[in-house]
Structures are given as C-alpha cells and as structure tokens.
Coordinates of all heavy atoms in Angstrom, one line a residue:
M15 N 125.5 102.1 121.6 CA 125.6 100.7 121.4 C 126.3 99.9 122.5 O 127.4 100.4 122.8 CB 126.4 100.5 120.0 CG 126.4 99.0 119.6 SD 127.5 98.7 118.3 CE 129.1 99.0 119.0
A16 N 125.6 99.0 123.0 CA 126.3 98.2 124.2 C 127.5 97.4 123.6 O 127.4 96.9 122.5 CB 125.3 97.4 124.8
I17 N 128.5 97.5 124.4 CA 129.6 96.7 124.0 C 129.6 95.4 124.9 O 129.6 95.5 126.1 CB 131.0 97.3 124.2 CG1 131.0 98.6 123.6 CG2 132.1 96.5 123.8 CD1 132.0 99.6 123.9
S18 N 129.7 94.2 124.3 CA 129.5 92.9 125.1 C 131.0 92.5 125.6 O 132.0 92.5 124.8 CB 128.8 91.9 124.4 OG 129.3 91.6 123.1
K19 N 130.9 92.0 126.8 CA 132.1 91.3 127.4 C 132.3 90.0 126.6 O 131.4 89.3 126.4 CB 131.9 91.1 128.8 CG 132.3 92.1 129.8 CD 131.9 91.9 131.2 CE 132.7 91.0 132.1 NZ 132.5 91.4 133.5
L20 N 133.6 89.6 126.5 CA 133.8 88.3 126.0 C 133.5 87.2 127.0 O 133.7 87.5 128.2 CB 135.3 88.3 125.6 CG 135.9 89.1 124.6 CD1 137.3 88.8 124.3 CD2 135.2 88.8 123.2
T21 N 133.0 86.1 126.6 CA 132.8 85.0 127.5 C 134.1 84.2 127.8 O 135.2 84.5 127.1 CB 131.8 84.0 126.8 OG1 132.6 83.5 125.7 CG2 130.6 84.6 126.3
G22 N 134.1 83.5 128.9 CA 135.3 82.8 129.2 C 135.7 81.9 128.1 O 137.0 81.8 127.8
A23 N 134.8 81.3 127.3 CA 135.3 80.5 126.2 C 136.0 81.3 125.0 O 137.0 80.9 124.5 CB 134.2 79.8 125.6
E24 N 135.4 82.5 124.9 CA 136.0 83.4 123.8 C 137.4 83.9 124.2 O 138.3 84.0 123.5 CB 135.1 84.7 123.7 CG 133.8 84.3 122.9 CD 132.8 85.3 122.9 OE1 132.8 86.3 123.8 OE2 132.0 85.5 121.9
R25 N 137.5 84.2 125.6 CA 138.8 84.6 126.2 C 139.8 83.5 126.0 O 141.0 83.7 125.5 CB 138.7 85.0 127.6 CG 137.8 86.2 127.8 CD 138.1 86.8 129.2 NE 138.0 85.9 130.3 CZ 136.9 85.7 131.1 NH1 135.8 86.3 130.8 NH2 136.9 84.8 132.1
A26 N 139.4 82.3 126.3 CA 140.2 81.1 126.2 C 140.7 80.8 124.8 O 141.9 80.3 124.5 CB 139.6 79.9 126.8
D27 N 139.9 81.2 123.8 CA 140.2 81.1 122.4 C 141.2 82.1 121.9 O 142.0 81.9 121.1 CB 138.8 81.1 121.6 CG 139.1 80.8 120.2 OD1 139.9 80.0 119.9 OD2 138.5 81.4 119.3
L28 N 140.9 83.5 122.3 CA 141.5 84.6 121.7 C 142.9 84.9 122.4 O 143.8 85.3 121.7 CB 140.6 85.8 121.7 CG 139.4 85.6 120.8 CD1 138.3 86.7 121.2 CD2 139.7 85.8 119.3
I29 N 142.9 84.9 123.7 CA 144.1 85.4 124.4 C 145.4 84.7 124.0 O 146.4 85.3 123.8 CB 143.9 85.5 125.9 CG1 142.7 86.5 126.2 CG2 145.1 86.0 126.7 CD1 142.2 86.5 127.6
P30 N 145.3 83.4 123.9 CA 146.6 82.6 123.6 C 147.1 83.0 122.2 O 148.3 82.8 121.9 CB 146.2 81.2 123.7 CG 145.0 81.0 124.5 CD 144.3 82.4 124.3
S31 N 146.3 83.7 121.3 CA 146.7 84.0 119.9 C 147.4 85.4 120.1 O 148.0 85.7 119.0 CB 145.6 84.1 119.0 OG 144.7 85.3 119.3
L32 N 147.6 86.0 121.2 CA 148.3 87.3 121.4 C 149.6 87.0 122.1 O 149.5 86.8 123.2 CB 147.5 88.2 122.1 CG 146.1 88.6 121.5 CD1 145.2 89.3 122.5 CD2 146.3 89.4 120.3
P33 N 150.6 87.0 121.3 CA 152.0 86.7 121.9 C 152.4 87.6 123.1 O 152.4 88.8 123.0 CB 153.0 86.8 120.9 CG 152.3 87.6 119.7 CD 150.8 87.4 119.9
G34 N 152.6 87.0 124.3 CA 153.1 87.7 125.4 C 152.0 88.3 126.3 O 152.2 89.0 127.4
W35 N 150.7 88.3 125.8 CA 149.7 88.9 126.5 C 149.0 87.9 127.5 O 148.8 86.7 127.1 CB 148.5 89.4 125.6 CG 148.9 90.6 124.7 CD1 149.7 90.5 123.6 CD2 148.7 92.0 125.0 NE1 149.9 91.8 123.2 CE2 149.3 92.8 124.0 CE3 148.0 92.6 126.0 CZ2 149.3 94.1 123.9 CZ3 148.0 94.0 126.0 CH2 148.6 94.8 125.0
S36 N 148.6 88.3 128.6 CA 148.0 87.2 129.6 C 146.8 88.0 130.2 O 146.7 89.2 130.2 CB 149.0 86.8 130.7 OG 149.5 88.1 131.3
E37 N 145.9 87.0 130.7 CA 144.7 87.5 131.2 C 145.0 88.0 132.7 O 145.7 87.3 133.4 CB 143.8 86.3 131.4 CG 142.4 86.6 131.7 CD 141.5 85.3 131.5 OE1 141.3 84.9 130.3 OE2 140.8 84.9 132.5
V38 N 144.5 89.1 133.0 CA 144.6 89.7 134.4 C 143.6 88.8 135.2 O 142.5 88.4 134.8 CB 144.3 91.2 134.4 CG1 144.1 91.6 135.9 CG2 145.4 91.8 133.7
E39 N 143.9 88.5 136.5 CA 143.2 87.8 137.3 C 141.7 88.2 137.4 O 141.5 89.4 137.5 CB 143.7 87.8 138.8 CG 143.3 86.7 139.7 CD 143.8 86.9 141.2 OE1 145.0 87.4 141.2 OE2 143.1 86.6 142.1
G40 N 140.8 87.4 137.2 CA 139.3 87.8 137.1 C 138.8 87.8 135.7 O 137.6 87.8 135.4
G41 N 139.8 88.0 134.7 CA 139.4 87.8 133.3 C 138.8 89.2 132.7 O 138.4 89.2 131.6
D42 N 139.0 90.3 133.4 CA 138.4 91.6 133.0 C 139.4 92.5 132.2 O 139.0 93.5 131.7 CB 137.8 92.3 134.1 CG 136.4 91.8 134.5 OD1 135.9 91.2 133.6 OD2 136.0 92.1 135.5
A43 N 140.6 91.9 132.0 CA 141.6 92.7 131.3 C 142.7 91.7 130.7 O 142.8 90.6 131.3 CB 142.2 93.8 132.2
I44 N 143.6 92.3 129.9 CA 144.8 91.6 129.4 C 146.0 92.5 129.6 O 145.8 93.7 129.6 CB 144.7 91.1 127.9 CG1 144.3 92.2 127.0 CG2 143.8 89.8 127.8 CD1 144.3 91.9 125.5
R45 N 147.1 91.9 129.8 CA 148.2 92.8 130.1 C 149.4 92.2 129.3 O 149.7 91.0 129.0 CB 148.6 92.8 131.6 CG 149.0 91.6 132.1 CD 149.3 91.8 133.7 NE 150.4 92.8 133.8 CZ 151.7 92.7 133.6 NH1 152.3 91.6 133.1 NH2 152.5 93.7 133.7
K46 N 150.4 93.1 129.0 CA 151.8 92.8 128.6 C 152.8 93.9 128.9 O 152.4 95.0 129.0 CB 151.7 92.6 127.0 CG 153.0 92.2 126.4 CD 152.9 91.8 125.0 CE 154.3 91.4 124.4 NZ 154.1 91.1 122.9
S47 N 153.9 93.4 129.2 CA 155.1 94.3 129.6 C 156.0 94.3 128.4 O 156.4 93.2 127.9 CB 155.7 93.8 130.8 OG 156.6 94.7 131.3
F48 N 156.3 95.4 127.8 CA 157.3 95.6 126.8 C 158.5 96.2 127.3 O 158.6 97.2 128.1 CB 156.6 96.6 125.6 CG 155.4 96.1 125.1 CD1 154.1 96.1 125.6 CD2 155.5 95.4 123.8 CE1 153.0 95.7 125.0 CE2 154.3 94.9 123.2 CZ 153.1 95.0 123.7
R49 N 159.7 95.7 126.7 CA 160.9 96.3 127.1 C 161.7 96.8 125.9 O 161.6 96.1 124.8 CB 161.9 95.3 127.8 CG 161.6 95.4 129.3 CD 162.3 94.3 130.0 NE 161.7 94.0 131.2 CZ 161.9 94.7 132.3 NH1 162.9 95.6 132.4 NH2 161.4 94.4 133.5
F50 N 162.4 98.0 125.9 CA 163.0 98.5 124.8 C 164.5 98.8 125.2 O 164.9 98.7 126.4 CB 162.3 99.8 124.4 CG 161.0 99.5 124.0 CD1 159.8 99.6 124.9 CD2 160.6 99.2 122.6 CE1 158.5 99.3 124.5 CE2 159.3 98.9 122.3 CZ 158.3 98.9 123.2
D51 N 165.2 99.3 124.2 CA 166.8 99.5 124.5 C 166.8 100.7 125.4 O 167.7 100.8 126.2 CB 167.5 99.9 123.1 CG 167.7 98.7 122.3 OD1 167.5 97.6 122.8 OD2 168.0 98.8 121.1
D52 N 166.0 101.7 125.4 CA 166.1 103.0 126.1 C 164.8 103.6 126.2 O 163.9 103.2 125.6 CB 167.3 103.8 125.5 CG 167.0 104.1 124.2 OD1 165.9 104.2 123.7 OD2 168.0 104.4 123.5
F53 N 164.8 104.7 126.9 CA 163.5 105.6 127.1 C 163.0 106.1 125.8 O 161.9 106.1 125.5 CB 163.8 106.8 128.0 CG 162.6 107.6 128.1 CD1 161.5 107.3 128.9 CD2 162.6 108.8 127.4 CE1 160.4 108.1 129.0 CE2 161.5 109.7 127.6 CZ 160.4 109.4 128.4
T54 N 164.0 106.5 124.9 CA 163.5 107.1 123.6 C 162.7 106.1 122.8 O 161.6 106.4 122.2 CB 164.8 107.6 122.7 OG1 165.4 108.5 123.5 CG2 164.3 108.2 121.5
R55 N 163.2 104.9 122.8 CA 162.5 103.8 122.1 C 161.2 103.5 122.7 O 160.1 103.3 122.0 CB 163.3 102.5 122.0 CG 164.7 102.7 121.4 CD 164.7 102.3 119.9 NE 165.8 102.5 119.3 CZ 166.1 102.4 118.0 NH1 165.2 102.1 117.2 NH2 167.3 102.6 117.6
A56 N 161.2 103.5 124.0 CA 159.9 103.1 124.7 C 158.8 104.2 124.5 O 157.7 104.0 124.2 CB 160.1 103.1 126.3
F57 N 159.3 105.5 124.5 CA 158.4 106.6 124.3 C 157.8 106.7 122.9 O 156.7 107.0 122.6 CB 159.0 107.9 124.7 CG 158.0 108.9 125.1 CD1 157.3 109.0 126.2 CD2 157.7 109.9 124.1 CE1 156.3 110.0 126.5 CE2 156.8 110.9 124.4 CZ 156.0 111.0 125.5
G58 N 158.9 106.3 121.9 CA 158.4 106.3 120.5 C 157.3 105.2 120.3 O 156.3 105.4 119.5
F59 N 157.4 104.1 121.0 CA 156.4 103.1 121.0 C 155.1 103.6 121.6 O 154.0 103.4 121.0 CB 156.8 101.8 121.7 CG 155.9 100.8 122.0 CD1 155.4 99.9 121.1 CD2 155.3 100.6 123.3 CE1 154.4 98.9 121.3 CE2 154.3 99.6 123.6 CZ 153.9 98.8 122.6
M60 N 155.2 104.3 122.7 CA 154.0 104.8 123.3 C 153.2 105.8 122.3 O 152.0 105.8 122.2 CB 154.3 105.5 124.6 CG 154.7 104.5 125.7 SD 155.2 105.3 127.1 CE 153.6 105.6 127.9
A61 N 154.1 106.6 121.6 CA 153.5 107.5 120.7 C 152.8 106.8 119.6 O 151.7 107.3 119.1 CB 154.6 108.4 120.1
Q62 N 153.3 105.7 119.1 CA 152.6 104.9 118.0 C 151.3 104.3 118.5 O 150.3 104.2 117.9 CB 153.5 103.8 117.6 CG 154.7 104.4 116.7 CD 155.4 103.1 116.1 OE1 156.2 102.5 116.9 NE2 155.3 102.9 115.0
V63 N 151.4 103.7 119.8 CA 150.2 103.1 120.3 C 149.0 104.3 120.6 O 147.8 104.1 120.4 CB 150.5 102.4 121.7 CG1 149.2 102.0 122.5 CG2 151.4 101.3 121.5
A64 N 149.6 105.5 121.1 CA 148.6 106.5 121.4 C 147.8 106.8 120.1 O 146.6 107.1 120.1 CB 149.3 107.7 121.8
L65 N 148.5 106.8 118.9 CA 147.8 107.2 117.7 C 146.8 106.1 117.3 O 145.6 106.3 116.9 CB 148.9 107.4 116.6 CG 149.8 108.5 116.6 CD1 150.8 108.5 115.5 CD2 149.0 109.8 116.6
L66 N 147.2 104.8 117.5 CA 146.2 103.7 117.3 C 145.1 103.8 118.2 O 143.8 103.6 117.8 CB 146.9 102.3 117.6 CG 148.0 101.9 116.7 CD1 148.7 100.6 117.1 CD2 147.5 101.7 115.2
A67 N 145.3 104.2 119.4 CA 144.3 104.3 120.5 C 143.2 105.3 120.2 O 142.0 105.2 120.1 CB 144.9 104.5 121.9
E68 N 143.7 106.5 119.7 CA 142.9 107.6 119.4 C 142.1 107.2 118.1 O 140.9 107.6 118.0 CB 143.7 108.8 119.0 CG 144.0 109.9 120.1 CD 142.6 110.3 120.8 OE1 142.1 111.2 120.2 OE2 142.1 109.7 121.7
K69 N 142.7 106.5 117.2 CA 142.0 106.2 115.9 C 140.8 105.2 116.2 O 139.7 105.3 115.7 CB 142.9 105.5 114.9 CG 142.3 105.6 113.6 CD 143.4 105.2 112.6 CE 142.9 105.1 111.2 NZ 143.8 104.6 110.1
A70 N 141.1 104.4 117.1 CA 140.1 103.3 117.6 C 139.1 103.8 118.7 O 138.1 103.1 119.0 CB 140.9 102.0 118.2
D71 N 139.4 105.0 119.2 CA 138.7 105.5 120.4 C 138.7 104.4 121.5 O 137.6 104.2 122.1 CB 137.3 106.0 120.0 CG 136.6 106.8 121.2 OD1 137.3 107.4 121.9 OD2 135.3 106.7 121.2
H72 N 139.8 103.8 121.7 CA 139.9 102.9 122.7 C 141.3 103.0 123.4 O 142.3 102.9 122.6 CB 139.7 101.5 122.1 CG 139.5 100.4 123.1 ND1 138.4 100.3 124.0 CD2 140.3 99.3 123.5 CE1 138.6 99.4 124.8 NE2 139.6 98.7 124.6
H73 N 141.4 103.1 124.6 CA 142.7 103.8 125.2 C 143.1 102.8 126.2 O 142.5 102.2 127.1 CB 142.4 105.0 125.8 CG 141.9 106.1 124.8 ND1 140.6 106.2 124.6 CD2 142.6 106.9 124.0 CE1 140.4 107.2 123.5 NE2 141.6 107.6 123.2
P74 N 144.4 102.6 126.2 CA 145.1 101.7 127.2 C 145.3 102.3 128.6 O 145.3 103.5 128.8 CB 146.5 101.5 126.6 CG 146.8 102.7 125.8 CD 145.5 103.2 125.4
E75 N 145.3 101.4 129.5 CA 145.9 101.8 130.9 C 147.3 101.3 130.8 O 147.6 100.2 130.6 CB 145.1 101.1 132.0 CG 143.6 101.4 132.0 CD 142.8 100.6 133.1 OE1 143.5 99.9 133.8 OE2 141.6 100.6 133.0
W76 N 148.2 102.3 131.1 CA 149.6 102.0 131.0 C 150.5 102.7 131.9 O 150.2 103.7 132.5 CB 150.1 102.1 129.5 CG 149.9 103.3 128.9 CD1 149.4 104.5 129.4 CD2 150.1 103.8 127.4 NE1 149.4 105.5 128.4 CE2 149.7 105.1 127.3 CE3 150.6 102.9 126.4 CZ2 149.9 105.6 126.1 CZ3 150.6 103.6 125.2 CH2 150.3 104.9 124.9
S77 N 151.7 102.3 132.0 CA 152.7 103.0 132.8 C 154.1 102.8 132.1 O 154.3 101.7 131.4 CB 152.8 102.6 134.2 OG 153.2 101.2 134.3
N78 N 155.0 103.7 132.3 CA 156.3 103.7 131.7 C 157.4 104.0 132.8 O 157.2 104.9 133.6 CB 156.4 104.6 130.6 CG 157.7 105.1 130.2 OD1 158.2 106.2 130.3 ND2 158.6 104.1 129.8
V79 N 158.4 103.1 132.8 CA 159.5 103.4 133.7 C 160.8 103.1 132.8 O 161.1 102.0 132.4 CB 159.6 102.4 134.9 CG1 160.9 102.7 135.6 CG2 158.3 102.5 135.8
Y80 N 161.4 104.2 132.4 CA 162.6 104.1 131.6 C 162.4 103.4 130.3 O 161.8 104.0 129.4 CB 163.8 103.7 132.3 CG 165.0 103.6 131.5 CD1 165.5 104.8 130.8 CD2 165.8 102.5 131.5 CE1 166.6 104.6 130.0 CE2 166.9 102.4 130.6 CZ 167.4 103.6 129.8 OH 168.5 103.5 129.1
N81 N 162.8 102.2 130.2 CA 162.7 101.4 128.9 C 161.6 100.4 128.9 O 161.5 99.6 128.1 CB 164.0 100.7 128.7 CG 164.4 99.6 129.7 OD1 163.8 99.7 130.8 ND2 165.1 98.6 129.3
R82 N 160.7 100.5 129.9 CA 159.7 99.4 130.1 C 158.3 100.2 130.0 O 158.1 101.2 130.4 CB 159.7 98.8 131.4 CG 159.0 97.6 131.7 CD 159.0 96.9 133.0 NE 158.1 97.6 133.9 CZ 158.4 98.1 135.1 NH1 159.6 97.8 135.7 NH2 157.4 98.7 135.9
V83 N 157.4 99.4 129.2 CA 156.1 100.1 129.1 C 155.2 98.8 129.4 O 155.1 97.7 128.8 CB 155.7 100.5 127.6 CG1 154.2 101.0 127.6 CG2 156.7 101.6 127.3
D84 N 154.3 99.0 130.5 CA 153.3 98.1 130.9 C 152.0 98.5 130.4 O 151.5 99.6 130.7 CB 153.3 97.9 132.5 CG 154.6 97.4 133.1 OD1 155.3 96.5 132.3 OD2 155.0 97.9 134.1
I85 N 151.3 97.7 129.6 CA 150.0 98.0 129.1 C 149.0 97.0 129.7 O 149.1 95.8 129.7 CB 150.0 97.9 127.6 CG1 151.0 98.8 127.0 CG2 148.6 98.1 127.0 CD1 151.0 98.9 125.5
V86 N 147.8 97.5 130.1 CA 146.6 96.8 130.5 C 145.5 97.3 129.6 O 145.3 98.5 129.4 CB 146.2 97.1 132.0 CG1 144.9 96.3 132.2 CG2 147.3 96.5 132.9
L87 N 144.9 96.3 128.9 CA 143.6 96.7 128.1 C 142.4 96.1 128.7 O 142.3 94.9 129.0 CB 143.9 96.1 126.6 CG 145.0 96.6 125.9 CD1 145.2 95.9 124.5 CD2 145.0 98.1 125.7
T88 N 141.4 97.0 128.9 CA 140.1 96.5 129.4 C 139.1 97.6 128.7 O 139.6 98.7 128.3 CB 140.0 96.6 130.9 OG1 138.8 96.1 131.3 CG2 140.2 98.0 131.5
T89 N 137.8 97.2 128.7 CA 136.8 98.1 128.1 C 135.9 98.6 129.2 O 135.2 98.0 129.9 CB 136.1 97.4 127.2 OG1 136.9 96.8 126.1 CG2 135.0 98.2 126.4
H90 N 136.1 99.9 129.5 CA 135.4 100.5 130.6 C 133.9 100.5 130.4 O 133.2 100.2 131.2 CB 135.9 102.0 130.8 CG 137.4 102.1 131.0 ND1 138.1 103.0 130.3 CD2 138.2 101.4 131.8 CE1 139.4 102.7 130.6 NE2 139.5 101.8 131.5
D91 N 133.6 100.6 129.1 CA 132.1 100.8 128.7 C 131.5 99.4 128.8 O 130.2 99.2 128.8 CB 131.9 101.2 127.3 CG 132.3 102.7 127.1 OD1 132.5 103.4 128.2 OD2 132.6 103.1 126.0
A92 N 132.2 98.4 129.0 CA 131.7 97.0 129.0 C 132.0 96.4 130.4 O 131.5 95.3 130.7 CB 132.2 96.0 127.9
D93 N 132.8 97.2 131.2 CA 133.1 96.7 132.6 C 133.8 95.2 132.5 O 133.6 94.4 133.2 CB 131.7 96.5 133.4 CG 132.1 96.9 134.8 OD1 133.1 97.5 135.1 OD2 131.2 96.6 135.7
G94 N 134.7 95.1 131.6 CA 135.4 93.9 131.3 C 136.2 93.9 130.0 O 136.3 94.9 129.3
L95 N 136.6 92.7 129.6 CA 137.3 92.5 128.4 C 136.3 92.4 127.3 O 135.4 91.6 127.3 CB 138.1 91.3 128.5 CG 139.2 91.1 127.4 CD1 140.4 92.1 127.6 CD2 139.8 89.7 127.4
S96 N 136.6 93.1 126.1 CA 135.8 93.0 124.9 C 136.7 92.8 123.7 O 137.8 92.8 123.8 CB 135.0 94.2 124.7 OG 135.7 95.3 124.2
M97 N 136.0 92.7 122.5 CA 136.7 92.5 121.3 C 137.6 93.6 121.0 O 138.6 93.6 120.2 CB 135.7 92.2 120.3 CG 136.2 91.3 119.1 SD 137.0 89.9 119.6 CE 138.2 89.8 118.3
R98 N 137.2 94.9 121.5 CA 138.0 96.1 121.3 C 139.5 95.9 121.9 O 140.4 96.5 121.3 CB 137.3 97.3 121.9 CG 136.1 97.7 121.2 CD 135.5 99.0 121.8 NE 134.2 99.2 121.0 CZ 133.5 100.3 121.2 NH1 134.0 101.4 122.0 NH2 132.4 100.5 120.6
D99 N 139.4 95.4 123.0 CA 140.9 95.1 123.6 C 141.6 94.1 122.7 O 142.9 94.3 122.5 CB 140.6 94.5 125.0 CG 139.8 95.4 125.9 OD1 140.2 96.5 126.0 OD2 138.8 95.0 126.4
I100 N 141.0 93.0 122.3 CA 141.7 92.1 121.3 C 142.1 92.8 120.1 O 143.3 92.7 119.7 CB 140.8 90.9 121.1 CG1 140.3 90.1 122.3 CG2 141.5 89.9 120.2 CD1 141.2 89.5 123.1
D101 N 141.3 93.6 119.6 CA 141.7 94.3 118.3 C 142.8 95.2 118.6 O 143.8 95.3 117.7 CB 140.5 95.0 117.7 CG 139.4 94.2 117.2 OD1 139.7 93.0 116.9 OD2 138.2 94.6 117.0
L102 N 142.8 96.0 119.6 CA 143.9 97.0 119.9 C 145.2 96.1 120.2 O 146.3 96.5 119.7 CB 143.5 97.9 121.1 CG 144.7 99.0 121.3 CD1 144.9 99.9 120.1 CD2 144.1 99.8 122.5
A103 N 145.1 95.1 121.0 CA 146.3 94.3 121.1 C 146.9 93.7 119.8 O 148.1 93.8 119.7 CB 146.0 93.0 122.0
R104 N 146.0 93.4 119.0 CA 146.4 92.9 117.7 C 147.2 94.0 116.8 O 148.2 93.8 116.2 CB 145.3 92.3 116.8 CG 144.8 91.0 117.2 CD 143.6 90.6 116.4 NE 143.2 89.2 116.8 CZ 142.0 88.7 116.6 NH1 141.0 89.5 116.1 NH2 141.7 87.5 116.9
Q105 N 146.7 95.2 116.9 CA 147.3 96.3 116.2 C 148.6 96.7 116.8 O 149.5 97.1 116.2 CB 146.3 97.5 116.3 CG 145.1 97.4 115.4 CD 144.3 98.7 115.5 OE1 144.7 99.7 115.1 NE2 143.1 98.6 116.0
I106 N 148.7 96.7 118.2 CA 149.9 96.9 118.9 C 151.0 95.9 118.4 O 152.2 96.2 118.1 CB 149.8 96.9 120.4 CG1 148.9 98.1 120.8 CG2 151.1 96.8 121.1 CD1 148.5 98.0 122.2
E107 N 150.7 94.6 118.3 CA 151.5 93.6 117.9 C 152.0 93.7 116.5 O 153.1 93.3 116.1 CB 150.9 92.3 118.1 CG 150.7 91.7 119.4 CD 152.0 91.7 120.2 OE1 153.0 91.3 119.8 OE2 152.0 92.3 121.4
A108 N 151.2 94.4 115.6 CA 151.5 94.6 114.2 C 152.4 95.7 114.0 O 153.0 96.0 112.9 CB 150.3 94.7 113.4
L109 N 152.8 96.6 115.0 CA 153.5 97.7 114.9 C 155.0 97.4 114.5 O 155.5 96.3 115.0 CB 153.6 98.6 116.3 CG 152.4 99.4 116.6 CD1 152.5 100.0 118.0 CD2 152.2 100.5 115.5
Ligands
H2B210 C1 133.2 108.4 124.7 C2 134.3 107.5 124.4 O1 134.0 106.8 123.1 C3 134.6 106.4 125.4 O2 134.6 106.9 126.6 C4 135.7 105.4 125.1 C5 137.0 106.1 125.1 N1 138.0 105.2 125.3 C6 137.8 104.0 126.0 N2 138.9 103.2 126.2 C7 138.7 102.0 126.9 N3 139.7 101.3 127.3 N4 137.4 101.7 127.3 C8 136.5 102.3 127.0 O3 135.2 101.9 127.3 C9 136.6 103.5 126.2 N5 135.4 104.3 125.9

C-alpha cells in the first residue's frame, strides 16, 4: 500500500498541534529535541519510544548525547512526511 506524503496545507494544519515539534527545512520531516535529568531518564524514554515504534512499524531517526534525545520523524516509504510521523509524534507526546 502506498503511503501518501502530507500536502503543505496538511503540514501547516497538523504540525502546530504537536508541542515543540517543528518542520525540518524542505518539509519532509519533523523534529524535536528532548532533555532529561540524566542519561538513565533519557535512555528510559528511548526504550519507551522504541516499543511504540516497533508496534507501529515506524521508526525514528534519532541520536542521544547524555541527557538529550534528538528525534527526527520521516517516512522512508513515502520519501517525506506522512500521517505515520504525526501519529508517532502524538504517541510520543502521550508518554
Ligand atoms: C518493511 C517495513 O514495514 C518498513 O521498512 C517500515 C519500517 N519502519 C519505517 N520507519 C520509517 N520511519 N519509515 C518507513 O518508511 C518505515 N518503513
């Protein structure tokens, strides 16, 4: 099943509803940087996100430095931003 990229209008409507998430230049991804008290907290968060990602079969591009976790969401199968990214961002926010 083809996954469709969000249109500019859809992005403009949806992204502002995700607190702290911003559009990456070009509009093909969204990103957010999370900060925690320490590495243990950051890694615990990553473990929770990993479980969500596996369940959704939709995986983040991310990096971790000590207490910081930088997440980029994009849909490789759509070559850009899709509703799957919005859905995963919403689930991350609900953690
Ligand atoms: C075969 C498997 O369902 C796909 O490769 C999934 C896995 N995780 C994925 N994650 C992301 N971010 N984009 C995808 O297109 C994607 N595709």
Side-chain angles (χ1 to χ4, degrees):
M15 183 192 70
I17 303 166
S18 51
K19 261 168 91 154
L20 295 177
T21 64
E24 288 168 331
R25 295 199 306 269
D27 183 42
L28 291 165
I29 296 170
S31 71
L32 299 167
W35 291 84
S36 57
E37 192 172 296
V38 169
E39 202 183 326
D42 281 340
I44 51 174
R45 67 175 308 281
K46 182 172 178 178
S47 190
F48 295 83
R49 273 176 201 272
F50 299 90
D51 288 345
D52 54 28
F53 174 74
T54 303
R55 299 269 177 181
F57 201 78
F59 169 73
M60 292 176 79
Q62 289 183 286
V63 173
L65 294 175
L66 293 177
E68 268 299 279
K69 198 165 180 193
D71 192 28
H72 194 67
H73 302 87
E75 297 177 10
W76 55 6
S77 66
N78 161 239
V79 178
Y80 180 51
N81 66 339
R82 197 182 81 223
V83 180
D84 296 324
I85 299 185
V86 173
L87 298 179
T88 187
T89 302
H90 307 128
D91 296 340
D93 216 15
L95 193 72
S96 78
M97 208 52 217
R98 291 190 184 182
D99 302 301
I100 304 297
D101 289 342
L102 184 55
R104 284 176 176 159
Q105 289 183 64
I106 292 170
E107 288 305 313
L109 283 173

